[in-house]
Amino acid sequence: MNKHYISSIKELLKEKRNILIVSHSNPDGDAIGSSLALYNYFLLKKQSVNVIVPNQFPEFLAWMKGSEKILTYNTQKKLCEELINNAEIIFFLDFNSLKRLEKLQDVVRNAKSIKVLIDHHLQPELESFDFAFSEVKVSSTSELIYDFISALGDEKLINADVASCLYVGIMTDTGSYSYSCNYEKTYKITASIIKTGVDAEEIHHLVYDTFSENRLRLLGYCLSERLTVIAERSTAYIALSKAELKRFNYQVGDTEGVVNYALSINKINLAALFTERDGAVRISFRSKGEVDVNVFARTYFEGGGHMHASGATSYLSLADTIKKFEQSINDFAEVLNKE
């Protein structure tokens, strides 16, 4: 990590500060895990700290220490704006463009606070931040939070509560160490986390083995009724309308991981999941081999993320979004069809 930046932040933190931690819309395991790890660390340092996310996070992440203290902008707008305006330092975790905050972006953009980015996604918009710790080769933002705390000289403060949150972020952003994990340090950090007394087996159970009946039935419906395979383009996708989500009593997080089933088909190199929300369609992209869905998402849908995992939002109808997607993959035909 940038030693000059670390030195500057260490100096800032010598006094008690109003600190705010902000993560992206539709927060996932790494967003919540990294945010709560940093939150619990700052509590140990006797700092004044709060966490804000733009909207709700999945119930299967709500067991982590401090999760009940997370504020959501779409339901607590007044309080969130007050905290943003009073913050002295804002830490932005697990995203690198303020656009990922959606309705929250203008409020934080205008904040007078010192802005610190900690993230691992490609092509960060560094001009929005005063300090940036951006490392695209690491598994997750949670891994960077471990490095950040250690660089501040406080590795000893990574107790089981902090470590459990870090483990969730690393585990979920690597698909239980099945991708984005060809980095020796990831395993060394994981080993250090386990040494704190973290129960890795129990954490895996809490995240992956607590499905509701509706969520499991929705998954079955996705695979039996909503899976489309375009074999000549090595592509598969699943699309869910707002009505279909309502039919299965959709809760935040119920479609987590669904796109990976489409990608698991033999000779499929690009997969997508389309979920219709109020006035928008949320898209998750996954890929294999040389197919770069970060480039694909940025080129056609103003999205982005990682080479093999990216996202975007479309403001077209669901039908028009799918039509645009099917037209767009023709431009990627050469790379998509590589074995």
Side-chain angles (χ1 to χ4, degrees):
M1 288 196 150
N2 186 304
K3 292 182 180 180
H4 175 69
Y5 286 178
I6 288 292
S7 178
S8 297
I9 290 172
K10 187 182 289 189
E11 192 66 29
L12 286 169
L13 294 175
K14 283 183 177 179
E15 298 179 17
K16 187 172 182 178
R17 301 286 184 179
N18 287 327
I19 296 172
L20 193 60
I21 299 167
V22 177
S23 196
H24 58 77
S25 63
N26 306 309
D28 57 9
D30 192 25
I32 299 300
S34 60
S35 295
L36 287 177
L38 191 61
Y39 169 81
N40 286 308
Y41 162 70
F42 280 134
L43 287 182
L44 292 171
K45 296 287 286 184
K46 309 300 182 184
Q47 293 286 355
S48 173
V49 58
N50 290 280
V51 181
I52 292 176
V53 291
N55 51 12
Q56 281 73 22
F57 60 93
E59 183 66 24
F60 58 78
L61 299 174
W63 54 269
M64 285 182 278
K65 185 176 181 181
S67 60
E68 75 283 357
K69 301 292 187 181
I70 296 176
L71 303 171
T72 54
Y73 183 69
N74 65 343
T75 60
Q76 299 165 289
K77 182 177 179 181
K78 185 176 180 181
L79 176 57
C80 289
E81 290 183 351
E82 182 180 327
L83 289 170
I84 292 166
N85 291 331
N86 290 331
E88 295 175 86
I89 308 174
I90 301 180
F91 287 85
F92 297 88
L93 305 189
D94 201 40
F95 68 101
N96 57 24
S97 169
L98 294 182
K99 290 186 295 184
R100 289 297 313 277
L101 296 176
E102 298 183 353
K103 294 179 181 179
L104 184 56
Q105 65 176 297
D106 290 335
V107 184
V108 297
R109 194 188 306 276
N110 296 326
K112 305 301 182 184
S113 60
I114 295 167
K115 298 178 174 68
V116 182
L117 172 72
I118 305 179
D119 179 64
H120 69 130
H121 293 88
L122 297 169
Q123 297 166 285
E125 296 179 3
L126 299 178
E127 65 276 5
S128 300
F129 310 98
D130 298 296
F131 300 97
F133 300 95
S134 176
E135 296 286 346
V136 302
K137 66 180 179 179
V138 303
S139 70
S140 56
T141 298
S142 292
E143 185 174 329
L144 285 175
I145 294 298
Y146 182 96
D147 283 342
F148 178 73
I149 295 172
S150 298
L152 290 174
D154 286 329
E155 188 174 358
K156 63 183 182 299
L157 292 182
I158 300 178
N159 59 19
D161 290 328
V162 175
S164 293
C165 300
L166 294 175
Y167 187 81
V168 169
I170 296 171
M171 180 185 71
T172 55
D173 246 30
T174 61
S176 297
Y177 301 87
S178 64
Y179 51 79
S180 300
C181 55
N182 288 324
Y183 184 45
E184 179 183 351
K185 192 174 179 182
T186 302
Y187 297 93
K188 290 181 177 179
I189 288 174
T190 300
S192 296
I193 286 172
I194 298 299
K195 285 180 181 178
T196 68
V198 163
D199 188 337
E201 184 177 349
E202 177 63 11
I203 290 175
H204 191 279
H205 164 73
L206 290 168
V207 174
Y208 292 116
D209 299 332
T210 54
F211 283 21
S212 66
E213 180 182 345
N214 282 325
R215 181 179 176 183
L216 198 59
R217 291 190 181 278
L218 175 60
L219 172 60
Y221 177 75
C222 288
L223 300 180
S224 65
E225 304 294 333
R226 303 303 294 145
L227 174 65
T228 298
V229 177
I230 307 175
E232 66 273 18
R233 291 288 178 261
S234 301
T235 296
Y237 67 83
I238 295 167
L240 292 167
S241 69
K242 188 177 177 182
E244 287 168 321
L245 292 171
K246 185 177 180 181
R247 173 183 165 187
F248 290 93
N249 192 29
Y250 171 80
Q251 303 296 312
V252 174
D254 280 357
T255 56
E256 191 79 23
V258 169
V259 66
N260 296 320
Y261 287 91
L263 189 64
S264 69
I265 300 171
N266 187 34
K267 296 186 179 179
I268 293 300
N269 296 325
L270 171 64
L273 171 68
F274 304 90
T275 51
E276 185 181 36
R277 312 291 172 85
D278 290 326
V281 177
R282 179 64 188 164
I283 315 170
S284 294
F285 297 111
R286 297 292 185 272
S287 65
K288 300 172 186 169
E290 297 180 27
V291 180
D292 191 333
V293 286
N294 174 60
V295 172
F296 183 86
R298 287 178 180 272
T299 302
Y300 299 104
F301 293 95
E302 297 184 5
H306 302 288
M307 179 177 178
H308 292 137
S310 290
T313 300
S314 169
Y315 296 97
L316 301 172
S317 68
L318 179 60
D320 286 344
T321 299
I322 293 170
K323 182 179 179 180
K324 181 178 179 180
F325 173 74
E326 291 182 342
Q327 292 171 341
S328 301
I329 62 175
N330 291 326
D331 293 343
F332 265 54
E334 183 179 348
V335 66
L336 282 171
N337 292 334
K338 286 186 177 181
E339 293 294 333

